[in-house]
């Protein structure tokens, strides 16, 4: 048990790194996607909707395989870690698009009309009236997205990134102790998820006070 | 190496068999998750504390860890304790249990949302505790949670791709087989993505129909 533990810690670090990078990419794509879905132009709205529909409508594992194994055929050469971050980030972005859009359209229409009436431009209305309120609304649901995404980082084990699940699988194979290895990896996942959850709650509380 | 989709027709029967297995596994796991979720919900709400606690721990562990990790545990764990189940069964059990935990949370809120007065009324009319639960509470709870449970079932379809990793010959593994002999990953994975997408659209349409019917029955 003591022998495998350092390997698990190192793997947990990779899982954390994957989660952080994927969250950043997901948030960026979510913001772009939500803007597209709320655009004035029908074509851009359609592109936003198509992005969400395709990436939420197919398995993340297949998306990852297309990028990592199929990528070289169309000139995209990525190592497994890069493919993992980009693939999972694009997938998470589709879910976050819907979360952000939901928070934005939850803001009362009357406020937007009022802001426009007092002379704010469309952009100013978004920047000073809608977004500050919508941000507050989206923290918790984005936390749910991030929680799901941390667990989804396990998928990159299938393209041989040495993270927690891959490490657990390897040691299950070599020690024949499936339950013990599951518990070690499981507890590490739950620690990561717990800390993330606490951070989200803290942000949410802070946003509510202001 | 450019793209060449003309290799697909030759392998289409393998892929379609895989798609059929994906549908069967999804249905099987959905049944497990539905029945298991209901049992877990009733235990969580009504069982004595000593029974409740281990189930709580189980739910906690299954909600906080990735499905793929759970599949490895179930597949290799069952073999280790001497139960040699085929990979398909391990896949169905693993997927089913994973989603049973999520469904159980929904069923619990559904059960709690049924008016207490109805339980009292049922008991007054002479129904036993179990009868009141089974004939009055649960049917209404199921109706209320159809939309979120439907979303879980759509998630289950997509997560069924993971059972390819423990060697179940469903859609994803069929594609891998075809790729093994053609070296055309892009073409086959895109094909498989399209098939998943189509099954997904059918499930969404079915969900909408059920929801409409349930709305009408209110």
């Amino acid at each position: 048990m003591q022998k495998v533990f350092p390997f698990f810690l190192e793997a947990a670090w990779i899982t954390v790194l994957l989660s952080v990078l994927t969250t950043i990419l997901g948030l960026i794509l979510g913001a772009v996607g939500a803007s597209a879905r709320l655009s004035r132009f029908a074509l851009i709205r359609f592109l936003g909707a198509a992005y969400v529909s395709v990436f939420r409508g197919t398995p993340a594992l297949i998306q990852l395989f297309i990028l990592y194994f199929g990528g070289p055929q169309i000139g995209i050469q990525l190592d497994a870690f890069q493919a993992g971050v980009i693939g999972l980030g694009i997938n998470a972005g589709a879910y976050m698009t819907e979360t952000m859009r939901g928070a934005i359209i939850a803001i009362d229409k009357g406020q937007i009309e009022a802001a426009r009436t007092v002379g704010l431009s469309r952009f100013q209305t978004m920047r000073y009236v809608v977004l500050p309120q919508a941000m507050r609304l989206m923290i918790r649901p984005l936390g749910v997205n991030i929680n799901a995404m941390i667990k989804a980082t396990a998928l990159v084990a299938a393209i041989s990134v040495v993270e927690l699940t891959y490490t657990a699988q390897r040691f299950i194979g070599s020690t024949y102790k499936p339950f013990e290895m599951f518990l070690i990896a499981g507890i590490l996942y739950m620690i990561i998820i717990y800390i993330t959850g606490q951070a989200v709650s803290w942000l949410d509380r802070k946003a509510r006070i202001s | 190496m450019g793209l060449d989709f003309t290799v697909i027709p030759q392998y289409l029967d393998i892929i379609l068999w895989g798609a059929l297995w994906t549908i069967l596994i999804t249905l099987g796991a959905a049944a497990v998750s539905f029945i298991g979720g209901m049992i877990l919900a009733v235990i969580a709400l009504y069982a004595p504390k000593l029974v409740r606690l281990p189930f709580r721990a189980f739910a906690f562990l299954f909600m906080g860890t990735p499905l793929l990790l759970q599949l490895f545990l179930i597949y290799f764990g069952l073999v280790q304790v001497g139960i040699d189940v085929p990979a398909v069964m391990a896949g169905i059990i693993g997927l089913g249990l994973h989603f049973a935990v999520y469904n159980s949370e929904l069923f619990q809120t559904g059960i709690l949302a049924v008016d207490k007065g109805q339980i009292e009324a049922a008991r007054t009319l002479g129904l036993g505790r179990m009868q009141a639960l089974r004939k009055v509470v649960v049917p209404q709870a199921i109706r209320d949670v159809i939309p979120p449970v439907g979303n879980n079932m759509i998630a289950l379809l997509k997560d069924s791709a993971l059972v390819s990793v423990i060697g179940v010959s469903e859609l994803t593994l069929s594609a891998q087989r075809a790729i093994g002999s053609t070296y055309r990953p892009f073409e086959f994975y895109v094909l498989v993505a399209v098939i998943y997408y189509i099954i997904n659209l059918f499930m969404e349409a079915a969900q909408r129909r059920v929801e409409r019917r349930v709305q009408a029955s209110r």
Side-chain angles (χ1 to χ4, degrees):
Chain A
M1 210 54 101
Q2 271 127 10
K3 265 192 209 146
V4 302
F5 205 66
F7 290 99
F8 272 104
L9 279 185
E10 204 171 313
W13 169 242
I14 300 295
T15 292
V16 169
L17 209 59
L18 271 168
S19 302
V20 170
L21 293 174
T22 309
T23 301
I24 294 170
L25 184 58
L27 287 171
I28 295 169
L29 290 175
V32 173
S35 317
R37 290 218 58 184
L38 296 166
S39 164
R40 262 180 296 179
F41 307 105
L43 178 67
I44 296 177
R45 275 203 306 276
F46 170 78
L47 289 177
Y51 167 53
V52 171
S53 177
V54 167
F55 284 91
R56 294 207 318 176
T58 55
L61 187 68
I62 301 293
Q63 294 163 21
L64 215 52
F65 283 170
I66 292 176
L67 185 64
Y68 183 61
F69 296 115
Q73 281 175 272
I74 53 168
I76 302 170
Q77 296 274 3
L78 297 167
D79 67 38
F81 185 84
Q82 293 166 337
V85 169
I86 295 171
L88 291 173
I90 295 174
N91 182 265
Y95 286 89
M96 291 178 178
T97 293
E98 285 307 88
T99 305
M100 293 184 183
R101 187 182 77 107
I104 291 169
I105 58 176
I107 303 301
D108 186 17
K109 282 255 183 307
Q111 290 197 27
I112 301 172
E113 282 159 20
R116 300 280 284 145
T117 313
V118 295
L120 270 70
S121 70
R122 258 181 75 96
F123 177 79
Q124 283 174 322
T125 305
M126 207 49 170
R127 166 83 182 70
Y128 295 106
V129 179
V130 178
L131 279 184
Q133 301 180 70
M135 294 277 214
R136 243 171 275 173
L137 285 181
M138 65 178 74
I139 292 174
R140 268 187 186 283
L142 281 176
V144 175
N145 290 150
I146 292 171
N147 179 313
M149 201 211 62
I150 293 172
K151 284 178 270 178
T153 61
L155 297 187
V156 299
I159 55 172
S160 309
V161 177
V162 187
E163 44 64 79
L164 270 176
T165 297
Y166 185 88
T167 306
Q169 182 199 6
R170 211 178 60 184
F171 285 122
I172 286 172
S174 61
T175 63
Y176 297 105
K177 289 191 166 68
F179 194 71
E180 289 86 335
M181 299 304 135
F182 170 76
L183 266 186
I184 299 176
I187 288 168
L188 288 167
Y189 271 114
M190 288 201 279
I191 292 172
I192 297 169
I193 287 170
Y194 178 77
I195 293 172
T196 314
Q198 289 298 310
V200 171
S201 301
W202 179 79
L203 267 176
D204 188 55
R205 267 199 310 277
K206 236 188 117 167
R208 256 165 229 284
I209 293 163
S210 61
Chain B
M1 188 156 87
L3 299 181
D4 177 16
F5 284 90
T6 58
V7 294
I8 285 174
Q10 205 188 332
Y11 292 89
L12 206 57
D13 54 338
I14 300 176
I15 301 286
L16 290 179
W17 268 111
L20 186 65
W21 272 107
T22 283
I23 293 169
L24 291 176
I25 289 164
T26 302
L27 289 176
V32 172
S33 78
F34 207 80
I35 297 165
M38 196 42 94
I39 294 171
L40 286 175
V42 170
I43 288 174
L45 290 176
Y46 302 108
K49 211 171 185 166
L50 214 66
V51 182
R52 222 158 51 205
L53 275 178
F55 278 97
R56 278 268 296 277
F58 166 78
F60 188 65
L61 205 61
F62 262 54
M63 289 189 87
T65 55
L67 172 61
L68 189 59
L69 190 64
Q70 293 160 18
L71 287 174
F72 287 139
L73 171 74
I74 286 164
Y75 186 52
F76 295 104
L78 285 176
V79 172
Q80 205 206 8
V81 295
I83 308 170
D84 198 6
V85 293
V88 181
M89 283 310 292
I92 290 175
I93 295 169
L95 273 173
L97 283 182
H98 181 81
F99 282 94
V101 172
Y102 284 91
N103 282 347
S104 144
E105 298 287 316
L106 298 171
F107 287 143
Q108 283 177 49
T109 30
I111 290 172
L112 290 176
V114 175
D115 187 15
K116 280 252 181 312
Q118 291 199 25
I119 303 175
E120 283 160 22
R123 301 278 283 138
T124 313
L125 288 172
L127 270 70
R129 245 176 88 92
M130 272 318 281
Q131 275 182 316
L133 206 61
R134 210 163 55 87
K135 301 216 159 125
V136 179
V137 179
V138 168
Q140 295 185 73
I142 289 176
R143 186 192 64 191
D144 286 343
V145 297
I146 282 175
V149 168
N151 289 340
N152 275 353
M153 296 305 98
I154 291 169
L156 194 157
L157 162 73
K158 288 175 281 167
D159 279 344
S160 74
L162 298 192
V163 301
S164 65
V165 178
I166 58 169
V168 181
S169 301
E170 39 63 82
L171 189 47
T172 303
L173 197 65
S174 307
Q176 280 164 2
R177 297 244 164 82
I179 291 162
S181 43
T182 57
Y183 303 105
R184 297 239 159 241
F186 191 90
E187 290 86 339
F188 280 102
Y189 284 134
V190 168
L191 171 69
V192 159
V194 171
I195 296 174
Y196 275 113
Y197 190 70
I198 292 169
I199 302 174
N200 182 62
L201 288 182
F202 272 109
M203 286 181 76
E204 280 176 0
Q207 189 193 9
R208 272 195 299 273
R209 266 186 74 156
V210 173
E211 272 175 44
R212 257 206 309 276
R213 196 171 288 180
V214 166
Q215 283 300 331
S217 78
R218 254 168 226 270

